[in-house]
Amino acid sequence: VQLVESGGDLVQAGDSLRLSCATSGFTFDTYSVAWFRQTPGKGREGVLGREGISSINLRDGTTFYIDSVKGRFTISSDKAAKTVYLQMSDLKPEDTANYICAAISLDGGWYEPPGFAAMRIAGSWGRGTQVTVSS
């Protein structure tokens, strides 16, 4: 399983940005993919310090958002492109972070919606893309 994020940038508060997570190495619609974010020096290091913000079940399309991004962020997928997107609007300085995508099989025994805990234990991870929002 390989995940490669792109689309991060330096933007101003109120701007929009679309992140992409290009996937390979697995059958697309048998997995769940999520976006996490992590700020160096804030919270725990490593996987435990990553905040899960949105996920999508690629089999049935069910999505999940944490409250702080609900209504501003939209997760979507393109099966032909094997890519998961995160459309972010009305960005705030507190959204500044390294955004990382993760994936886990829906059939491997670990998955429970929204999938964040399972991904921390047994998921595959990308390296992240940096989003910086200036005020």
Side-chain angles (χ1 to χ4, degrees):
V1 174
Q2 288 194 321
L3 308 167
V4 179
E5 303 91 336
S6 63
D9 205 348
L10 170 62
V11 297
Q12 295 193 340
D15 283 352
S16 298
L17 205 58
R18 189 177 80 160
L19 306 183
S20 299
C21 174
T23 75
S24 62
F26 61 91
T27 303
F28 194 69
D29 56 4
T30 66
Y31 269 62
S32 175
V33 172
W35 285 96
F36 290 71
R37 63 187 178 188
Q38 187 165 32
T39 303
K42 182 179 178 182
R44 294 183 176 184
E45 296 297 320
V47 172
L48 292 178
R50 296 173 182 176
E51 178 187 32
I53 58 173
S54 181
S55 68
I56 183 167
N57 178 321
L58 295 176
R59 176 175 289 154
D60 65 14
T62 302
T63 59
F64 174 86
Y65 303 91
I66 59 172
D67 286 346
S68 62
V69 307
K70 201 173 292 183
R72 300 190 298 123
F73 291 9
T74 302
I75 192 169
S76 63
S77 66
D78 183 333
K79 184 177 181 179
K82 295 188 177 182
T83 300
V84 174
Y85 303 99
L86 187 68
Q87 178 69 46
M88 306 186 293
S89 61
D90 190 23
L91 283 161
K92 307 175 186 300
E94 53 264 40
D95 294 318
T96 295
N98 187 35
Y99 283 71
I100 309 160
C101 64
I104 194 162
S105 171
L106 295 166
D107 303 315
W110 288 99
Y111 177 78
E112 286 188 6
F116 298 150
M119 289 174 192
R120 290 191 181 93
I121 295 169
S124 299
W125 295 83
R127 298 175 69 89
T129 185
Q130 179 67 33
V131 173
T132 303
V133 185
S134 64
S135 57

